[in-house]
């Protein structure tokens, strides 16, 4: 199963260069998208499972550090490589706060260096066999929703359960007799 990669840079010439820098499929990577707009890349990430994002840090719509933060919220397992022309310590430090796996300088980017960085980052990816990107994304959405509504369903269900008669079957250990029991709101307490 190939490692799914997207590239983001506002300069089309840099995107074209990165696309040609390595032979993606030969090294187990699948280039699934290139974007000159970080917002379009983020929209794409909402509908597709992505393993590695390679993004420029300085972009007009949304900088690479903020984009990294948003991507990590949506797909925590996604690995992010930041590309920059700037060797500025504060920028590097900020990028790592948001889960960036590596910070690469464009002037020093050679095919071997780029490929080695991609391979190193791909080792961190926990691939789930036999799952489609849609299944992965569905599971992430379900997990996010369940975390958001945790604790909210019990207060909603208690009044329903306490005001509705409940029937159940009782089967003793000997298995000989079965009794139908009914409970009403006065004979049971709140579910905890």
């Amino acid at each position: 199963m190939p490692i799914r990669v997207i590239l983001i840079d506002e300069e089309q010439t840099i995107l074209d260069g990165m696309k040609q820098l390595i032979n993606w499929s030969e090294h187990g990577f699948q280039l699934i998208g290139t974007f000159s707009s970080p917002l379009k890349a983020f929209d794409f990430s909402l509908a597709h499972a992505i393993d590695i994002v390679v993004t420029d840090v300085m972009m007009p719509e949304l900088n690479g550090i903020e984009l990294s933060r948003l991507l990590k919220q949506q797909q925590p397992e996604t690995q992010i490589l930041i590309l920059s022309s700037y060797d500025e310590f504060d920028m590097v430090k900020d990028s790592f706060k948001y889960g960036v796996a590596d910070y690469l300088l464009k002037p020093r980017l050679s095919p071997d260096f780029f490929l080695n960085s991609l391979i190193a980052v791909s080792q961190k990816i926990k691939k789930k066999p036999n799952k489609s990107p849609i299944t992965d994304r569905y599971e992430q959405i379900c997990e996010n929703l369940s975390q958001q509504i945790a604790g909210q369903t019990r207060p909603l269900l208690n009044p329903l359960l306490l005001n509705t008669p409940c029937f159940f079957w009782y089967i003793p250990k000997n298995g000989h007799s079965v009794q139908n029991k009914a409970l009403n709101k006065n004979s049971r307490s709140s579910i905890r």
Side-chain angles (χ1 to χ4, degrees):
M1 188 173 192
I3 303 291
R4 299 170 300 243
V5 180
I6 65 169
L7 305 174
I8 310 161
D9 197 302
E10 81 278 5
E11 294 182 44
Q12 190 62 45
T13 55
I14 299 221
L15 276 178
D16 293 341
M18 282 194 296
K19 284 194 302 191
Q20 303 302 318
L21 201 56
I22 63 169
N23 184 332
W24 296 90
S25 59
E26 183 179 300
H27 299 288
F29 298 101
Q30 179 184 11
L31 189 57
I32 60 172
T34 60
F35 302 91
S36 56
S37 163
L39 295 176
K40 287 181 182 175
F42 181 70
D43 287 344
F44 181 83
S45 78
L46 296 175
H48 300 86
I50 301 166
D51 298 314
I52 299 175
V53 173
V54 180
T55 183
D56 187 18
V57 74
M58 299 301 282
M59 295 179 285
E61 296 175 324
L62 184 68
N63 73 46
I65 295 170
E66 184 61 21
L67 175 63
S68 299
R69 186 184 67 76
L70 294 171
L71 287 168
K72 282 295 202 175
Q73 286 177 346
Q74 293 300 316
Q75 296 188 35
E77 296 296 318
T78 299
Q79 299 298 311
I80 300 170
L81 294 172
I82 293 275
L83 287 174
S84 179
S85 297
Y86 308 98
D87 190 6
E88 189 174 308
F89 178 74
D90 288 336
M91 200 177 295
V92 174
K93 184 178 74 171
D94 286 345
S95 69
F96 284 104
K97 279 196 293 191
Y98 296 111
V100 170
D102 205 351
Y103 190 96
L104 308 173
L105 294 173
K106 288 181 186 178
R108 298 183 193 156
L109 196 62
S110 69
D112 288 339
F113 187 71
F114 188 48
L115 179 59
N116 289 335
S117 294
L118 287 167
I119 290 170
V121 166
S122 71
Q123 302 302 313
K124 298 178 184 179
I125 297 169
K126 298 174 184 124
K127 294 297 269 182
K128 298 172 188 166
N130 301 325
K131 284 191 180 180
S132 73
I134 293 170
T135 303
D136 286 344
R137 187 71 186 128
Y138 173 77
E139 288 175 356
Q140 290 170 350
I141 290 169
C142 289
E143 179 63 27
N144 287 343
L145 285 174
S146 68
Q147 288 174 1
Q148 289 174 13
I149 62 172
Q152 295 175 9
T153 55
R154 188 154 284 141
L156 296 173
L157 291 177
N158 273 342
L160 291 173
L161 294 173
L162 292 175
N163 294 321
T164 306
C166 177
F167 294 92
F168 69 94
W169 291 95
Y170 171 71
I171 303 172
K173 286 185 179 180
N174 64 15
H176 294 294
S177 64
V178 175
Q179 300 171 356
N180 186 0
K181 301 261 182 186
L183 296 174
N184 61 33
K185 67 182 174 181
N186 297 325
S187 65
R188 60 188 157 149
S189 62
S190 174
I191 295 176
R192 300 196 196 283

